[in-house]
C-alpha cells in the first residue's frame, strides 16, 4: 500500500508543499507514496494555487478519510487537524515544526520535528543529509512555503536554518529574486478583486470577550494599503453594521506586510480607549500602528489590558 502524505486541515502553502516534497522523498528512497491534502484542488487558497501553477506542480490528491490507510503527516500532529478516521489509520511518519500534538501510535514510527519556521526547512535538511535529489519544481514550492510561513523572514518564528534553506532552494529552483517571489505570493493571498466585502471581513475574523464586552477583530495581510483604497468606505460600513450587532468595538487590521505595520480601522463606543491602548491617534476611520503584524501577539493583549481583563 502506498503511503498517503497529508498536511493539516485548511491547508496552507507549507502543508501542500511539504506533502509534495515528502511524498517525493519517500518515493526516491524506496517507499511508494502519494501527496494528499484534505480538500479538493479547487478549494486551495489563492497563494497555494499560484505557487503550484508557477512551478508546474499538480495539486495533491484529495484525502478526507484516512481510515485503514498508511499515512504520513506533515506540518501537524494534532488529531483535530487530521483527516477523518485517523484513529484507524496506520501512521508511519510525522515531519513537522510545531509542538508535538496528541497523536499516539501503536508501533514505532519515523518522527522528525525541529523548532524552525517551516516544515519544508525540516524536509530540506532531510534531502541534504541523505543526498536525495531534489527536483527544481519541488524546490520552488518548498522555498515558497518557507517564505509564506516566515512572512519573508519577518516572523519571530524564523530561524537561521530557514534562511539558509531559502538561499539554497532559490538556487535549486532557479529563482533569483526572493522579495519578488514573496510579493507575487502576497499579492495572490491578499487579492481582493471580486471578493464580496463580507467575505473579506470574515476571511480572518474573531470575536473576543473583554470583561463582558464583545470585541470583534478582523485582519487581512496586504502588499500595500493601496490595495484596499477602493473598498475602504464599504468595509467601514460593514464594520459599523457588525458593531451595531451587540459589540463594544470592531477593529479591522489592514496589515502592510512590507511596511511592517497595521492601519487599524476602528469602530468603537470608546475610541479614546482604543487609541490609548495602542498609543496612536485615529485619523478619519483608522490609525497607523507601527510594527503591528500579529493579532494574537500584538492586538489582543493591549486591548485586554485596556479593558481591564
Ligand atoms: Mg501550516
Ligand atoms: Mg508550517
Ligand atoms: Mg502558516
Amino acid at each position: 500500500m502506498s503511503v498517503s502524505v497529508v498536511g493539516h486541515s485548511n491547508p496552507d502553502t507549507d502543508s501542500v508543499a511539504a506533502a509534495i516534497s515528502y511524498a517525493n522523498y519517500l518515493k526516491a528512497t524506496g517507499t511508494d507514496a502519494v501527496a494528499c491534502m484534505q480538500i479538493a484542488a479547487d478549494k486551495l487558497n489563492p497563494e497555494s494555487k499560484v505557487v503550484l501553477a508557477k512551478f508546474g506542480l499538480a495539486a495533491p490528491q484529495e484525502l478526507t478519510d484516512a481510515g485503514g490507510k498508511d499515512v504520513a503527516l506533515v506540518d501537524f500532529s494534532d488529531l483535530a487537524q487530521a483527516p477523518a478516521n485517523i484513529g484507524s489509520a496506520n501512521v508511519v511518519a510525522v515531519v513537522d515544526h510545531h509542538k508535538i500534538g496528541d497523536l499516539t501510535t501503536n508501533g514505532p514510527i519515523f518522527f522528525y520535528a525541529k523548532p524552525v519556521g517551516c516544515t519544508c526547512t525540516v524536509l530540506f535538511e532531510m534531502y541534504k543529509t541523505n543526498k536525495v535529489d531534489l527536483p527544481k519544481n519541488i524546490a520552488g514550492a518548498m522555498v515558497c512555503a518557507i517564505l509564506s510561513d516566515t512572512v519573508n523572514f519577518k516572523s519571530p518564528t524564523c530561524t537561521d536554518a530557514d534562511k539558509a534553506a531559502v538561499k539554497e532552494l532559490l538556487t535549486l529552483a532557479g529563482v533569483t529574486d526572493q522579495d519578488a517571489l514573496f510579493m507575487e505570493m502576497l499579492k495572490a493571498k491578499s487579492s481582493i478583486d471580486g471578493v464580496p466585502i463580507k467575505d473579506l471581513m470574515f476571511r480572518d475574523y474573531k470575536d473576543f470577550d473583554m470583561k463582558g464586552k464583545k470585541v470583534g477583530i478582523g485582519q487581512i495581510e496586504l502588499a500595500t494599503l493601496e490595495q484596499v483604497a477602493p473598498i475602504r468606505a464599504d468595509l467601514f460600513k460593514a464594520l459599523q453594521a457588525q458593531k451595531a450587532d451587540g459589540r463594544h468595538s470592531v477593529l479591522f487590521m489592514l496589515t502592510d506586510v512590507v511596511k511592517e505595520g497595521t492601519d487599524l480601522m476602528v469602530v468603537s463606543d470608546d475610541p479614546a480607549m482604543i487609541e490609548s491602548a495602542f498609543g496612536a491617534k485615529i485619523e478619519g476611520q483608522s490609525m497607523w500602528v507601527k510594527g503591528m503584524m500579529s493579532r494574537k501577539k500584538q492586538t489582543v493583549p493591549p486591548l485586554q489590558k485596556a479593558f481591564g481583563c
Side-chain angles (χ1 to χ4, degrees), residues 129-205:
T129 306
N130 299 300
K131 299 188 169 56
V132 176
D133 222 30
L134 182 51
K136 184 178 181 177
N137 56 351
I138 296 180
M142 289 169 74
V143 79
C144 288
I146 302 172
L147 297 183
S148 177
D149 263 13
T150 65
V151 196
N152 201 20
F153 299 167
K154 285 170 186 164
S155 165
T157 58
C158 186
T159 67
D160 288 344
D162 299 298
K163 292 178 183 170
V166 163
K167 197 169 173 228
E168 290 190 50
L169 285 166
L170 285 171
T171 306
L172 280 171
V175 176
T176 49
D177 192 335
Q178 174 184 332
D179 290 340
L181 179 63
F182 177 71
M183 287 307 284
E184 199 178 332
M185 291 159 59
L186 183 60
K187 284 210 167 102
K189 180 190 202 164
S190 63
S191 168
I192 55 162
D193 290 344
V195 181
I197 291 291
K198 276 234 147 135
D199 291 7
L200 199 66
M201 187 182 149
F202 289 114
R203 189 184 270 178
D204 185 8
Y205 172 92

Side-chain angles (χ1 to χ4, degrees), residues 24-35:
N24 179 76
Y25 177 96
L26 287 172
K27 281 187 275 185
T29 52
T31 301
D32 193 23
V34 56

Side-chain angles (χ1 to χ4, degrees), residues 261-279:
T262 289
D263 193 28
L264 187 66
M265 295 184 95
V266 179
V267 186
S268 177
D269 285 340
D270 192 350
M273 185 183 75
I274 309 291
E275 285 181 330
S276 73
F278 298 107

Side-chain angles (χ1 to χ4, degrees), residues 8 10-15 74-76 81 97-98 119 149:
H8 56 74
N10 192 20
D12 54 11
T13 297
D14 188 24
S15 268
V74 285
D75 200 32
F76 79 107
Q81 298 171 28
H97 70 121
H98 294 92
T119 303
D149 263 13

Side-chain angles (χ1 to χ4, degrees), residues 25 38 107 160 285-286:
Y25 177 96
Q38 300 185 44
D160 288 344
Q285 303 167 330
S286 63

Side-chain angles (χ1 to χ4, degrees), residues 58-69:
Q61 265 178 38
E62 184 176 1
L63 174 82
T64 52
D65 189 334
K69 293 198 161 72

